[in-house]
């Protein structure tokens, strides 16, 4: 983590500083373009009066541009016959010791032009504005790249023709890289020894006068002393100076020096690797900076005054906050969290060592409240209930990942829903978020343990599942063809992916499974769905699994498609396979939504009939701008109208019984990319369908975690006649709660983690949780939701009729409607004595 900031310094001199206009007596006297950030510009005042730098600035023009790339407004003054040094804030200590002002933005290289200006008047220039010389102007030591240049003493005024050709040898002498010995002392003059990089007359002596940290922090969002030179003397409460860590430490005033103002922090970050230890009393001289909105000190000196000092009392904090800026009052301080907090997201755990915590689980707003004002209010409430836990490392993809102790692995996961107690650390701010850097190992508790199987009703006669297989692309189907457009990049990754997906499918123990994000490569032997089905048969030691083949080379034009597999011994596909696309329903835009696949099945046990439609509607993240269907800010994201129209088309299509089976038991499953309270779901439920997850799972149900908020995009919606035949519906939480680092991918992992993060089990086989619906299908011939004497009459009125394959009156499936069917149907009666009421 690199800390950057702009330091503004006003120098005080014993002499009277003249207030003058643009002075021709100022010009660049030394130019340093050394290694790394060793960059500095010395300005010389050739007059007999001090020059106030108010209105003066240095401009840098990068890579031949005629537009200013960086402007640094100068502060302070240049003494008569004296110098002023502007240096990069990350230069080495020798340069900084001579600096009057620093700046930490990206500075010039050898091919960039530099101007000294007062207002719009050019005072001096180095290089040629509008020209990129390639690497440098000049040659050898007398060049602008990796050298130090000093103005010839014969030159007594600046070069104002900034767009004319530039030859440094005409006015400058050259010296080797990282030559700083005369910086600040041009022609025997000086700049007050640089005032210690702006530390002025601040003392390095322990016990001397110092500034309270609370005065530096102030009661606002930024320091009132930003750019000022300060000395502080306080206690080290946290040090993160080891290799790979952020490269600094945190100071806090002892309890007796706290100002008792709850709005002002008593702690501050010091960007220094000068070795210190927790409990040291340290004196720091340096400049206050706001670095990415974090108040910090960029030091010129760090001195340890004493060791083993008592630490200040940790301040208790709690969620939710009253305002999103409440943590500003404890920025830089040692804090403790008496609450038990819940893990809400681990997306950044493996890559950045970050865990999002909250008081309980955070819901996706539109999963629990209506879109619009209520959802916006819920989101605001969520935003007050977040705390990011960070490992204090500046290393991406750390090994080990320290959360949870002793380290993340496939056998030691940290799941959303787990909890943590007794958090203690320092509060900091970076990348737009407050974050807690722990000083004690967090005590994570596995309160959301993995389950080995989904919840299934024991007396179900058909189990239907929906599972997003996360871009299951099998290359050319014979081991090659990687990388593909989506999914695994190598054959090894694909083998890892397939093993996890198959483990999950076996664990579902379902009879019919709707699949999403399959490679849309047809249905032959080499297709993705064929390979997955074959692998499932191998894993189960059977040949019962097969897949629905709609007889097309592919379904729709997207890279991915939906599909359906089923067990032949537990269900029989009947009727025709139906596909919903734009040609069937114009409201269903199949260039945005993936075409829907519908198939009717007869359960082997009980011979009940059901029609299942597997769906994958347009995502919230990608746009529908070409349709004028943008995010309206109501919480439903992009393409809401497109999804709502598709939902309307879906229920209309199903009402026409597209599979040709005369049965009204419809089950809509799949990723509708809509949370429970959103318009597409309302469109379906208003048509008489029941939201099964809401019915059986309640308001806390979820199948997906995004941005630390849980909800369900993966739905099970039953038609009115089918709803009464549903025994249960439950998400199997094997994916959404798991760290993404535990998936099959090998990117962003060390060689050791490729093995330790992976297991060929169901966990993190995808990013969505699968849904399992337990059904007790009945033969409801009159479609009134039950089996009674009215249904039996339908059978007896057709006695001795030869039955077609789709005729549900043939209850026992022997091809003829007779008394045996009436007797078999009597056993399914849902009312005592088969009464109609």
């Amino acid at each position: 983590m690199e800390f950057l900031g702009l330091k503004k310094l006003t120098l005080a001199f014993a002499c009277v500083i003249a207030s003058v206009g643009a002075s021709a007596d100022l010009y660049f006297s030394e130019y340093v373009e050394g290694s790394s950030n060793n960059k500095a510009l010395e300005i010389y005042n050739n007059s007999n009066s001090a020059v106030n730098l108010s209105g003066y600035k240095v401009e840098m023009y990068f890579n031949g541009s005629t537009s200013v790339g960086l402007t640094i407004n100068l502060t302070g003054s240049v003494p008569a016959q004296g110098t002023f040094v502007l240096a990069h804030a990350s230069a080495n200590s020798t340069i900084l010791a001579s600096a009057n002002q620093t700046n930490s933005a990206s500075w010039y290289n050898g091919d960039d032009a530099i101007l000294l200006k007062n207002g719009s008047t050019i005072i001096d220039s180095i290089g040629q504005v509008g020209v990129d010389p390639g690497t440098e102007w000049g040659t050898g030591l007398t060049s602008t790249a990796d050298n130090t240049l000093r103005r010839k003493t014969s030159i007594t005024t600046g070069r104002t023709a900034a767009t004319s050709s530039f030859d440094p040898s005409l006015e400058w002498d050259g010296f080797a890289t990282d030559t700083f010995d005369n910086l600040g002392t041009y022609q025997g003059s000086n700049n007050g020894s640089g005032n210690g990089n702006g530390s002025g007359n601040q003392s390095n002596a322990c016990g001397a006068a110092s500034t309270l940290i609370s005065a530096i922090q102030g009661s606002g969002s930024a320091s009132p002393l930003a750019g000022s030179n300060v000395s502080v003397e306080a206690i080290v409460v946290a040090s993160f100076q080891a290799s790979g860590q952020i490269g600094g430490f945190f100071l806090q005033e002892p309890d007796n020096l706290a100002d008792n103002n709850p709005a002002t922090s008593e702690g501050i970050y010091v960007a220094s690797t000068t070795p210190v230890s927790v409990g040291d009393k340290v004196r720091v001289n340096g400049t206050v900076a706001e670095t990415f909105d974090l108040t910090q000190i960029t030091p010129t000196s760090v001195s340890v005054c004493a060791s083993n000092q008592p630490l200040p009392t940790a301040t208790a904090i709690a969620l939710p906050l009253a305002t999103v800026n409440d943590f500003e009052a404890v920025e830089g301080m040692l804090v403790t969290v008496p609450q038990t907090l819940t893990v809400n997201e681990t997306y950044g755990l493996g890559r950045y060592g970050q865990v999002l915590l909250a008081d309980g689980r955070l819901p996706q707003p539109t999963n629990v409240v209506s879109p619009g004002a209520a959802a916006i209010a819920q989101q605001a409430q969520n935003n007050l209930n977040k705390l990011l836990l960070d490992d204090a490392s500046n290393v991406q993809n750390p090994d080990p990942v320290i959360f949870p102790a002793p380290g993340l692995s496939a056998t030691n996961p940290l799941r959303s829903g787990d909890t943590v107690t007794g958090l203690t650390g320092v509060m900091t701010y970076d990348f737009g978020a407050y974050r807690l850097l722990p000083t004690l190992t967090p005590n994570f508790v596995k309160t959301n343990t993995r389950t080995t199987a989904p919840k299934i009703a024991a007396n179900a006669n058909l189990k239907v599942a929906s599972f997003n297989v996360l871009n299951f692309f099998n290359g050319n189907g014979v081991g090659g063809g990687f990388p593909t457009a989506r999914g695994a990049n190598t054959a090894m990754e694909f083998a890892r992916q397939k093993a996890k997906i198959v483990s999950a499918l076996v664990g579902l123990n379902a009879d019919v499974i709707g699949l999403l994000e399959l490679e849309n490569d047809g249905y032959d032997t080499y297709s993705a769905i064929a390979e997955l089905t074959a692998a499932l048969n191998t894993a189960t030691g059977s040949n019962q699994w097969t897949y629905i083949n709609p007889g097309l080379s592919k379904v729709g034009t997207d890279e991915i498609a939906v599909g359906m597999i089923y067990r032949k011994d537990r269900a029989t596909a009947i009727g025709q396979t139906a596909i919903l696309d734009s040609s069937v329903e114009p409201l269903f835009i199949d260039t945005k939504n993936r075409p829907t696949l519908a198939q009717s099945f007869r359960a082997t046990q009980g011979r009940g009939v059901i029609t299942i439609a597997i769906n994958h509607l347009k995502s919230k993240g990608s746009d529908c701008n070409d349709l004028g269907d943008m995010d309206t800010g109501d919480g439903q994201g992009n393409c809401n109208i497109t999804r709502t129209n598709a939902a309307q088309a879906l229920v209309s299509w199903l009402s026409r019984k597209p599979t040709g089976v005369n049965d009204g038991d419809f089950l809509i499953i799949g990723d509708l990319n809509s949370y429970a309270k959103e318009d597409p779901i309302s469109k379906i439920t208003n048509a008489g369908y029941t939201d099964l997850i809401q019915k059986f799972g309640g308001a806390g149900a979820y199948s997906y975690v995004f941005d630390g908020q849980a909800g369900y995009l993966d739905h099970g919606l039953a038609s009115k006649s089918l709803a009464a035949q549903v025994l249960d519906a439950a998400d199997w939480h094997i994916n959404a709660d798991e760290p993404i680092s535990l998936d099959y991918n090998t990117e962003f992992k060390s060689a050791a983690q490729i093995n330790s993060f992976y297991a060929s089990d169901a966990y993190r086989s995808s990013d969505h949780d699968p849904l399992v619906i337990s059904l007790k299908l009945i033969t409801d011939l009159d479609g009134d939701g039950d089996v009674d004497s009215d249904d039996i009459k339908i059978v007896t009125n057709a006695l001795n009729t030869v039955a077609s394959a789709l005729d549900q009156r043939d209850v026992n499936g022997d091809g003829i409607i007779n008394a045996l069917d009436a007797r078999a149907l009597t056993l399914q009666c849902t009312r005592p004595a088969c009464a109609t009421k």
Side-chain angles (χ1 to χ4, degrees), residues 185-463:
T185 59
Y186 181 67
Q187 296 193 55
S189 63
N190 67 76
N191 66 340
S193 298
N195 295 308
N197 189 21
S199 61
N201 295 318
Q202 300 285 350
S203 173
N204 293 332
C206 292
S210 61
T211 302
L212 288 176
I213 293 173
S214 56
I216 297 171
Q217 287 282 10
S219 58
S221 60
S223 171
L225 299 181
S228 299
N229 310 305
V230 296
S231 289
V232 298
E233 194 166 304
I235 309 300
V236 177
V237 292
S239 176
F240 303 107
Q241 299 176 306
S243 175
Q245 293 187 312
I246 59 175
F249 58 91
F250 289 82
L251 285 179
Q252 185 170 334
E253 297 287 359
D255 291 343
N256 65 312
L257 293 181
D259 69 350
N260 296 318
N261 180 352
T264 57
S265 171
E266 304 294 336
I268 196 165
Y269 177 71
V270 180
S272 172
T273 55
T274 299
V276 298
S277 299
V278 172
D280 284 351
K281 185 177 185 180
V282 171
R283 187 174 185 86
V284 173
N285 293 333
T287 306
V288 179
E290 287 292 329
T291 303
F292 299 120
D293 296 322
L294 171 68
T295 303
Q296 69 172 54
I297 297 175
T298 303
T300 55
S301 66
V302 175
S303 305
V304 176
C305 302
S307 298
N308 301 316
Q309 302 298 295
L311 297 185
T313 303
T315 298
I317 60 173
L319 295 174
L321 306 174
T323 73
V324 292
N325 295 319
D326 280 1
F327 284 145
E328 178 68 24
V330 292
E331 179 191 88
M333 291 178 63
L334 186 66
V335 297
T336 187
V337 186
Q339 286 172 295
T340 295
L341 297 181
T342 301
V343 175
N344 273 258
E345 186 174 53
T346 58
Y347 185 82
L349 177 58
R351 289 215 66 190
Y352 308 110
Q354 298 170 355
V355 180
L356 183 66
L357 304 172
D359 181 18
R361 291 296 291 262
L362 300 174
Q364 284 290 349
T366 53
N367 203 63
V368 293
V369 296
S370 299
I376 293 168
Q378 179 64 56
Q379 186 61 65
Q381 183 178 327
N382 285 356
N383 293 342
L384 296 173
N385 190 15
K386 295 181 179 181
L387 174 60
L388 193 63
L389 183 68
D390 192 290
D391 66 355
S393 168
N394 62 3
V395 175
Q396 290 190 25
N397 315 311
D399 185 5
V401 175
I402 62 174
F403 306 139
L408 178 70
S409 71
T411 57
N412 187 38
L414 181 63
R415 287 168 52 89
S416 294
D418 287 344
T419 54
V420 61
T421 59
L423 271 181
T424 299
V426 289
M427 186 67 68
T428 188
Y429 186 90
D430 198 19
F431 291 98
Y434 290 99
R435 54 194 68 210
L436 185 72
L437 311 182
T439 54
L440 300 176
T441 301
N443 178 31
F444 287 104
V445 181
K446 296 185 182 300
T447 49
N448 182 26
T449 56
R450 291 170 167 175
T451 56
T452 57
K455 183 184 176 188
I456 296 175
N459 58 336
N461 62 12
L462 191 72
K463 295 161 291 184

Side-chain angles (χ1 to χ4, degrees), residues 456-457 459-465 509-512 566-567 570-572 601-605 608-612 667 725 727-728 772-777:
I456 296 175
N459 58 336
N461 62 12
L462 191 72
K463 295 161 291 184
V464 178
N509 191 25
D511 307 320
V512 180
Y566 68 99
R567 285 190 59 133
R570 297 180 182 173
T572 302
F601 293 91
R602 175 177 283 122
T604 300
Q605 182 183 351
V609 172
I610 186 174
T611 298
I612 302 169
L667 180 63
Q725 303 170 60
L727 302 177
D728 204 352
V772 183
I773 300 166
S774 301
L775 298 154
K776 183 72 172 178
L777 294 180

Side-chain angles (χ1 to χ4, degrees), residues 776-824:
K776 183 72 172 178
L777 294 180
I778 57 176
T779 308
D780 177 20
L781 296 177
D782 60 3
D784 64 355
D786 59 15
V787 178
D788 54 25
S789 59
D790 289 340
D791 298 285
I792 295 172
K793 287 178 184 177
I794 293 174
V795 173
T796 57
N797 287 340
L799 291 179
N800 301 317
T801 300
V802 175
S804 68
L806 300 182
D807 197 329
Q808 293 188 66
R809 296 173 298 176
D810 181 15
V811 179
N812 64 2
D814 63 359
I816 189 168
I817 302 170
N818 54 30
L820 295 176
D821 297 298
R823 187 175 300 122

Side-chain angles (χ1 to χ4, degrees), residues 490-621:
T490 65
M492 183 187 81
E493 277 196 342
F494 176 67
R496 288 158 61 100
Q497 180 189 26
K498 183 166 72 171
K500 293 188 80 70
I501 293 291
V502 170
S503 291
L505 293 174
V506 171
L508 283 172
N509 191 25
D511 307 320
V512 180
I513 305 176
L515 301 173
L516 301 92
E517 294 197 15
L518 283 163
E519 182 178 8
N520 192 10
D521 64 344
Y523 302 90
D524 63 20
T525 304
Y526 305 109
S527 65
I529 195 169
E531 180 161 346
L532 185 57
T533 305
L536 187 53
N537 277 323
T538 299
T540 56
S542 72
N543 195 33
Q544 295 300 330
W545 285 98
T546 188
Y547 57 89
I548 296 298
N549 183 349
L552 301 172
S553 59
K554 61 189 304 185
V555 176
T557 58
D558 204 312
E559 294 280 359
I560 55 176
V562 297
M564 210 176 294
I565 59 176
Y566 68 99
R567 285 190 59 133
K568 295 179 291 185
D569 58 338
R570 297 180 182 173
T572 302
I574 59 176
Q576 64 188 24
T577 302
I579 294 174
L580 170 62
D581 58 20
S582 299
S583 68
V584 177
E585 286 278 354
L587 275 178
F588 190 98
I589 302 176
D590 60 16
T591 57
K592 303 294 184 183
N593 307 291
R594 291 84 179 177
T596 295
L597 180 71
Q599 181 67 56
S600 297
F601 293 91
R602 175 177 283 122
T604 300
Q605 182 183 351
R607 292 182 57 78
V609 172
I610 186 174
T611 298
I612 302 169
I614 178 68
N615 302 268
H616 194 181
L617 300 189
K618 181 65 174 174
S619 72
K620 297 173 176 293

